[in-house]
């Protein structure tokens, strides 16, 4: 039997790419999945039914999933992701913070709005969703939180000052939360 059987997993940015892969794999292993994605393009513009499509894929394979289309960068939206997990499945066991956007430009040419939104989605969004899940995990003495970083933060990548800064910020956040969660069996790691 899978260690993920009947675990409640939230995956942000799960409408495509890596997030979709996470959601599908957790579902295959018996987890109940909240598929979060507002369905925008890679630069965060627009909305679509990407989350619904992944939920349907999971259900077609016999899995259990619901969709949430809130933005992680909105505090109320981020909280609604965890609220939906609680309302539908009664708890949250695992949170995979994967939502992200790109607004690549050299720093010299970067509009500060492009700075703000990338920081907001990657770093603040990770904090907002984790903050909503944290007390639940803490109280039940079990939780797993995964953050999605990038080599762009560790080594740098031309034209990604905003993205690289957000991704390194997530590493710092992980280091602190790993310490704070340890005594309550809440483990925090970064991919």
């Amino acid at each position: 039997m899978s260690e993920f059987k009947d675990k409640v997993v939230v995956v942000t940015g799960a409408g495509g790419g890596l997030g979709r892969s996470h959601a599908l794999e957790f579902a295959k292993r018996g987890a109940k999945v909240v598929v979060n994605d507002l369905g925008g393009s890679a630069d965060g513009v627009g909305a679509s039914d990407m989350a619904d499509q992944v939920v349907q894929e999971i259900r077609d394979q016999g899995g259990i999933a619901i969709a949430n289309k809130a933005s992680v960068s909105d505090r109320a939206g981020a909280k609604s992701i965890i609220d939906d997990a609680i309302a539908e499945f009664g708890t949250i066991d695992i949170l995979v913070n994967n939502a992200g956007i790109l607004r690549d430009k050299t720093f010299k040419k970067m509009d500060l709005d492009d700075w703000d939104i990338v920081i907001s989605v990657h770093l603040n969004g990770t904090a907002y969703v984790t903050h909503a899940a944290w007390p639940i995990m803490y109280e039940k003495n079990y939780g797993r939180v995964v953050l999605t970083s990038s080599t762009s933060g560790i080594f740098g990548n031309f034209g990604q000052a905003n993205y690289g800064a957000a991704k390194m910020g997530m590493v710092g956040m992980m280091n602190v939360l790993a310490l704070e969660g340890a005594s309550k069996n809440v483990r925090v790691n970064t991919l």
Side-chain angles (χ1 to χ4, degrees):
M1 183 152 87
S2 167
E3 65 186 296
F4 301 112
K5 180 90 174 110
D6 295 326
K7 294 286 189 210
V8 177
V9 180
V10 169
V11 183
T12 68
L18 190 57
R20 176 180 167 272
S21 296
H22 290 319
L24 292 172
E25 286 300 320
F26 275 117
K28 265 187 213 166
R29 289 166 169 76
K32 299 169 185 172
V33 183
V34 178
V35 176
N36 160 262
D37 204 302
L38 56 82
S41 60
D43 64 359
V45 175
S48 73
D49 293 330
M50 291 170 74
D52 293 322
Q53 292 167 14
V54 175
V55 166
Q56 193 56 54
E57 245 183 291
I58 289 169
R59 290 178 178 167
D60 288 348
Q61 295 171 10
I64 300 168
I66 61 167
N68 173 289
K69 297 178 188 174
S71 171
V72 297
S73 66
D74 173 75
R75 287 181 187 177
K79 186 176 180 316
S80 81
I81 300 165
I82 303 305
D83 289 346
D84 284 359
I86 303 304
E88 186 72 20
F89 303 123
T91 193
I92 166 113
D93 297 300
I94 300 165
L95 168 60
V96 180
N97 290 290
N98 178 74
I101 63 168
L102 293 171
R103 297 276 178 98
D104 292 359
K105 283 192 179 132
T106 62
F107 194 64
K108 179 177 177 272
K109 294 180 181 174
M110 184 177 292
D111 184 293
L112 287 178
D113 288 341
D114 287 337
W115 174 273
D116 288 348
I117 190 140
V118 169
I119 296 291
S120 186
V121 171
H122 288 274
L123 186 56
N124 293 344
T126 293
Y128 296 162
V129 181
T130 303
H131 191 264
W134 195 258
I136 298 155
M137 293 176 170
Y138 201 84
E139 286 304 311
K140 71 181 197 171
N141 285 296
Y142 181 88
R144 303 293 181 260
V145 180
V146 177
L147 288 64
T148 308
S149 188
S150 169
T151 56
S152 294
I154 298 166
F155 301 112
N157 195 23
F158 193 90
Q160 291 192 323
N162 49 5
Y163 182 78
K167 291 305 194 181
M168 272 314 276
M170 291 167 76
V171 173
M173 183 179 166
M174 172 204 63
N175 287 331
V176 173
L177 293 185
L179 294 171
E180 292 184 7
S183 68
K184 291 294 188 173
N185 194 28
V186 180
R187 297 190 185 144
V188 185
N189 291 283
T190 298
L191 294 175

